[in-house]
Amino acid sequence: MNLSELQARLQEQGVQLWVDGGLLRFRAPGNKLEPALLTALQKHKKDLIALLQPAEEAAAWEAQPLTVGQQALWFLQQSAPASPAYNVASAAKILSPLNVDAMVRAFQTLVSRHESLRTTFESRQGEPVARVARRGTLDFRQIDAQGWDDERLHAEARLEYEQPFHLQSGPLMRVRLFTRGPEEHVFLLVLHHIVFDAWSLWLVQDEFRTLYAQYAAGEVGLLSAPAGKYRDDPRLDPIVETLP
């Protein structure tokens, strides 16, 4: 199947393609893609990225108004930019082997899925504006904590939690994995409250568990549609997979 035939077949099947951060992503009706189409997509992946890349670069980000709550947090942050008072965090101890690659892929999918995780904030003529990026950046770091006692581990995790976020440059989420051994890890997720609240944190944790299990098992990462989203954009709908 050549590239033209593939494009026509994808259109007939209602399969949507786009480039996100240099990665080719697709969404298929019913969450299903014929094996022959998947093989053809992998074969022509570079050519498809070259065709779709200009559209991604032309719309690298989009300005959005702030909610009332975001405006309040923005002005509070300006008065104390180094304060961690509005950092939201979750930590967990993992006492089992961990597939770090699957973990990273899961969080990359979440960054692409949720526009809040691709949002930064800047001032224009004294007024804050939200910038929603098409291409998200994942701030993930695995830290070698072998030989650390509990006191040091707690202190290092607290330092990561207290690091201030830069609302203008972002990203406004960071993931840290402290590894003490093959079967002992401490997972820390930190976000700024201007883009996340407690309910959102619970939602992302639940989605992460689903995606991690899928990727660790070598499956396609799929999630059901969320109840609502900040804006309507079919390219950002959740039933999406990155072409390997």
Side-chain angles (χ1 to χ4, degrees):
M1 187 184 304
N2 61 36
L3 182 59
S4 297
E5 292 171 337
L6 172 60
Q7 290 176 298
R9 187 72 173 274
L10 291 171
Q11 187 173 7
E12 291 175 1
Q13 297 288 326
V15 178
Q16 297 178 343
L17 294 179
W18 68 93
V19 175
D20 180 15
L23 300 174
L24 182 62
R25 299 186 182 276
F26 68 85
R27 184 181 62 176
N31 308 341
K32 295 180 180 179
L33 193 65
E34 296 176 359
L37 280 180
L38 182 58
T39 300
L41 279 173
Q42 292 170 329
K43 176 182 177 181
H44 296 288
K45 182 174 70 172
K46 290 184 178 180
D47 292 332
L48 289 167
I49 289 176
L51 288 172
L52 298 171
Q53 190 80 41
E56 181 200 21
E57 294 174 350
W61 59 270
E62 181 177 344
Q64 295 286 330
L66 274 66
T67 66
V68 173
Q70 286 177 328
Q71 291 178 18
L73 285 167
W74 163 266
F75 287 112
L76 287 170
Q77 181 79 8
Q78 304 316 297
S79 64
S83 173
Y86 301 103
N87 290 4
V88 180
S90 174
K93 180 176 284 188
I94 304 171
L95 300 177
S96 66
L98 187 64
N99 187 326
V100 178
D101 289 339
M103 188 178 193
V104 171
R105 286 190 68 193
F107 275 109
Q108 287 174 334
T109 300
L110 290 172
V111 170
S112 296
R113 171 178 169 85
H114 295 290
E115 66 178 27
S116 61
L117 300 180
R118 293 177 277 106
T119 299
T120 53
F121 301 84
E122 66 176 28
S123 178
R124 294 185 182 179
Q125 300 179 343
E127 295 295 328
V129 174
R131 289 169 49 113
V132 181
R134 300 289 187 185
R135 177 178 179 175
T137 300
L138 174 63
D139 181 3
F140 179 96
R141 185 154 58 94
Q142 184 176 16
I143 300 167
D144 184 0
Q146 295 185 73
W148 291 8
D149 58 20
D150 290 345
E151 184 178 356
R152 181 180 178 185
L153 180 60
H154 182 271
E156 295 287 346
R158 186 174 184 84
L159 284 174
E160 288 290 344
Y161 162 72
E162 291 180 343
Q163 286 296 314
F165 285 103
H166 300 285
L167 298 188
Q168 183 169 350
S169 59
L172 301 184
M173 177 184 77
R174 58 177 170 263
V175 184
R176 298 292 181 262
L177 182 66
F178 299 89
T179 298
R180 302 176 82 175
E183 297 186 11
E184 185 177 0
H185 314 267
V186 171
F187 160 63
L188 177 67
L189 175 64
V190 190
L191 306 105
H192 196 284
H193 190 36
I194 198 170
V195 294
F196 252 66
D197 56 17
W199 182 87
S200 302
L201 183 60
W202 173 85
L203 175 65
V204 160
Q205 289 174 325
D206 188 57
E207 293 180 345
F208 166 73
R209 285 192 292 268
T210 300
L211 289 168
Y212 174 81
Q214 292 171 341
Y215 288 137
E219 300 172 357
V220 171
L222 295 175
L223 293 170
S224 60
K229 54 187 178 178
Y230 183 66
R231 64 192 177 98
D232 292 324
D233 186 341
R235 299 197 317 161
L236 304 179
D237 275 352
I239 303 175
V240 164
E241 173 58 4
T242 302
L243 194 69

